[in-house]
Amino acid sequence: MSEPEQTSERQSPLRIDELLERVREGLDRVGPREAYDAAASGALLVDIRYAALRELDGLIPGALVVERNELEWRLDPQGSHRAAEATGHDLRVVVICNEGYASSLAAASLRQLGLHRATDLDGGFQAWRTAGLPVVPVRDEQ
């Protein structure tokens, strides 16, 4: 008898919009006011926007600024390069990008690290600012 023929069927690659939709199904995304209230209740707001956007639009007071390419290393509670704020896997984390796209993917990545309460801000920093929530300019010393 001959060996069964192996099929090399591959799944079609996902489009980014499909990936984003799938990722968001697992997130309890929050709006600007919910994010503000969550921070007041101890949640960690994490701003992953790149420096030029922060300089242009300002910062959310109290948010931890972490470049996107460092996010997992800084937020893994068991990681050797973690931020002091990365206190445990039960930490409520709200990831904020500019408009709420990259933050969804970032929050899903944090969930894979066991941060099961990670989510993102629907509409990102722009929604926060439009809602009239606090924003401060970037200081020159930073």
Side-chain angles (χ1 to χ4, degrees):
M1 281 191 124
S2 64
E3 284 187 40
E5 215 176 286
Q6 289 186 352
T7 59
S8 60
E9 285 185 40
R10 287 187 155 177
Q11 264 188 322
S12 308
L14 289 175
R15 293 184 344 257
I16 187 60
D17 292 333
E18 293 170 323
L19 176 60
L20 195 58
E21 185 178 327
R22 285 186 187 183
V23 160
R24 286 179 172 168
E25 287 173 1
L27 298 175
D28 181 22
R29 302 182 80 209
V30 296
R33 176 52 66 180
E34 288 175 279
Y36 180 83
D37 292 343
S41 297
L44 178 63
L45 302 183
V46 181
D47 185 345
I48 63 168
R49 294 175 301 142
Y50 52 90
L53 287 176
R54 294 191 310 267
E55 291 170 11
L56 178 68
D57 290 333
L59 300 168
I60 295 172
L64 175 65
V65 174
V66 177
E67 296 285 337
R68 173 61 189 101
N69 63 326
E70 297 179 359
L71 182 69
E72 291 81 0
W73 282 268
R74 305 291 287 150
L75 272 284
D76 179 359
Q78 299 175 345
S80 58
H81 292 68
R82 73 180 177 279
E85 294 86 350
T87 56
H89 289 99
D90 286 333
L91 180 64
R92 175 86 164 137
V93 176
V94 180
V95 182
I96 302 166
C97 67
N98 195 48
E99 295 181 340
Y101 295 95
S103 57
S104 294
L105 299 173
S109 180
L110 292 177
R111 283 185 172 231
Q112 289 181 324
L113 290 176
L115 291 153
H116 62 95
R117 298 177 68 203
T119 191
D120 73 318
L121 175 57
D122 190 0
F125 178 87
Q126 296 306 321
W128 177 280
R129 185 172 66 176
T130 299
L133 294 169
V135 173
V136 295
V138 174
R139 294 186 320 214
D140 293 334
E141 305 90 61
Q142 289 184 339

